[in-house]
Amino acid sequence: MSNTKKSSSAVESAVNHTFPSAETLPERIAQQIQNNHYVAAYDALRTLPRSPLNLSCLGVLAMRIGHAEEAIRVFRGMVLTPGTTICRSDAGDTLLINYATALLLGNLPSGALDVLGNLQNRDALPAVQIRSAIKRWASGLSFWRRWDWKLNHIEPPNCSVPIDFAPGIFPIAIQSHGVTLAESELGQALDRAGRHSKHHQLSD
């Protein structure tokens, strides 16, 4: 089986009860994502129906091409209960991490931390990366700004948090530099780990 066919058939759910199991991306767009042609994939996805899978991929692509505000709008609509600032109970960890990442790129680190607080698996690697980036950024603030952040989680005006990782998790297995990165499997592993942790907490 070719890599293209593998990638097309590997499109699967990254969030429990959100993506139908039969939902897939068009093979052309999956190939564009594999080849890091994010602008082309983004432009193509914008012409397709707004299914949960398409929206999730669109949000990640928006982050990767520098459209943080659009990514925030996309993931806000998928994560929050309509008319509230409360995260939906069925929003899985992958979706929450993507929303938190979008908020971080939108210069809202306090919002990112608030969203990460809803994770079932709070020690997931992407969550650790986000918190580490915020910690490094906060350590470089002036004394009073750092104190205000520590006590009240108030960001300085026009703050910017540098990151050292690719933003967002695609709900699709992608290939980069000859290595398959099954990010969809990562998403499902995050959700399974969270459910396992929650089960043990309830059992204690």
Side-chain angles (χ1 to χ4, degrees):
M1 182 181 293
S2 69
N3 287 336
T4 300
K5 289 182 179 179
K6 285 182 180 178
S7 67
S8 180
S9 64
V11 177
E12 53 190 355
S13 172
V15 183
N16 291 338
H17 312 302
T18 299
F19 302 151
S21 59
E23 190 177 355
T24 61
L25 283 179
E27 188 169 316
R28 174 174 59 90
I29 296 178
Q31 186 70 48
Q32 289 169 335
I33 293 174
Q34 282 184 331
N35 294 330
N36 297 334
H37 296 163
Y38 296 141
V39 173
Y42 169 84
D43 289 340
L45 267 176
R46 293 188 71 188
T47 68
L48 298 182
R50 295 300 179 96
S51 68
L53 177 61
N54 290 349
L55 277 174
S56 187
C57 288
L58 184 67
V60 175
L61 288 167
M63 286 192 279
R64 297 202 178 185
I65 64 175
H67 295 178
E69 291 301 321
E70 180 175 4
I72 290 173
R73 288 194 297 271
V74 167
F75 289 119
R76 180 190 293 130
M78 299 181 75
V79 169
L80 299 185
T81 301
T84 75
T85 58
I86 300 172
C87 293
R88 287 170 35 201
S89 60
D90 63 342
D93 282 1
T94 302
L95 195 53
L96 291 169
I97 287 171
N98 280 338
Y99 184 35
T101 307
L103 291 171
L104 183 65
L105 295 179
N107 303 326
L108 295 168
S110 61
L113 291 176
D114 287 343
V115 172
L116 292 182
N118 291 278
L119 293 178
Q120 294 184 24
N121 178 16
R122 299 192 181 189
D123 294 326
L125 176 59
V128 172
Q129 290 175 320
I130 292 172
R131 292 194 192 95
S132 296
I134 294 174
K135 185 176 180 179
R136 288 193 302 270
W137 161 80
S139 68
L141 296 175
S142 66
F143 175 80
W144 292 113
R145 290 294 190 188
R146 187 166 64 251
W147 191 249
D148 200 21
W149 168 256
K150 184 175 182 179
L151 291 181
N152 306 308
H153 272 194
I154 296 177
E155 304 100 341
N158 303 315
C159 72
S160 178
V161 181
I163 63 173
D164 57 0
F165 54 89
I169 302 172
F170 283 109
I172 176 177
I174 64 172
Q175 188 175 54
S176 178
H177 305 297
V179 179
T180 298
L181 306 175
E183 294 184 338
S184 56
E185 294 177 4
L186 168 62
Q188 292 184 351
L190 291 175
D191 291 336
R192 285 197 300 270
R195 291 196 302 273
H196 181 72
S197 174
K198 187 174 182 180
H199 172 75
H200 277 282
Q201 290 174 2
L202 293 174
S203 300
D204 291 341

